[in-house]
Amino acid sequence: MIGKPVRYNNHLEDRLVIRHIGRDLPERIIREAERSFTDTATGYRIAVATVAYRGANHLMMVAFEETASEIASVSIHPLDERDVNRKIRNGRWIA
């Protein structure tokens, strides 16, 4: 994954504007994730990290696909530890 370019799809670009998220944040989360999962429903990889957002530290997730040549970021949104634990417990996200 290191060295591959990160491309943002239109949905992710919209989320950055709507949620007032810095443009550099999705790539930072992917490259520096504290935890990573596979979403069993979508097949996307999930990167989770604690980041500064709206004046406080929040968990943020980025859904992405990795190909041989690039990382295609699909979506980004804040979440809390309960969300992560629920997805793991329900089998939606696997490590």
Side-chain angles (χ1 to χ4, degrees):
M1 185 159 47
I2 295 173
K4 289 184 184 178
V6 177
R7 179 178 54 81
Y8 296 177
N9 76 4
N10 292 338
H11 176 80
L12 184 127
E13 294 275 7
D14 290 344
R15 300 287 76 89
L16 295 179
V17 172
I18 291 167
R19 295 183 176 125
H20 306 285
I21 296 171
R23 180 138 177 72
D24 66 319
L25 203 53
E27 183 170 357
R28 273 194 15 230
I29 292 169
I30 290 168
R31 297 201 188 279
E32 301 170 9
E34 297 160 4
R35 294 179 280 177
S36 61
F37 305 94
T38 298
D39 186 316
T40 59
T42 65
Y44 292 139
R45 295 187 55 199
I46 306 295
V48 177
T50 303
V51 296
Y53 175 63
R54 295 193 171 199
N57 286 332
H58 291 277
L59 277 179
M60 189 83 66
M61 65 80 69
V62 176
F64 65 97
E65 294 179 297
E66 185 175 4
T67 68
S69 60
E70 71 176 4
I71 298 165
S73 301
V74 176
S75 191
I76 183 170
H77 63 83
L79 69 166
D80 61 34
E81 195 62 41
R82 289 179 312 224
D83 297 323
V84 174
N85 290 335
R86 183 174 48 252
K87 288 179 186 294
I88 293 168
R89 190 174 51 252
N90 293 340
R92 174 76 186 258
W93 289 0
I94 57 173

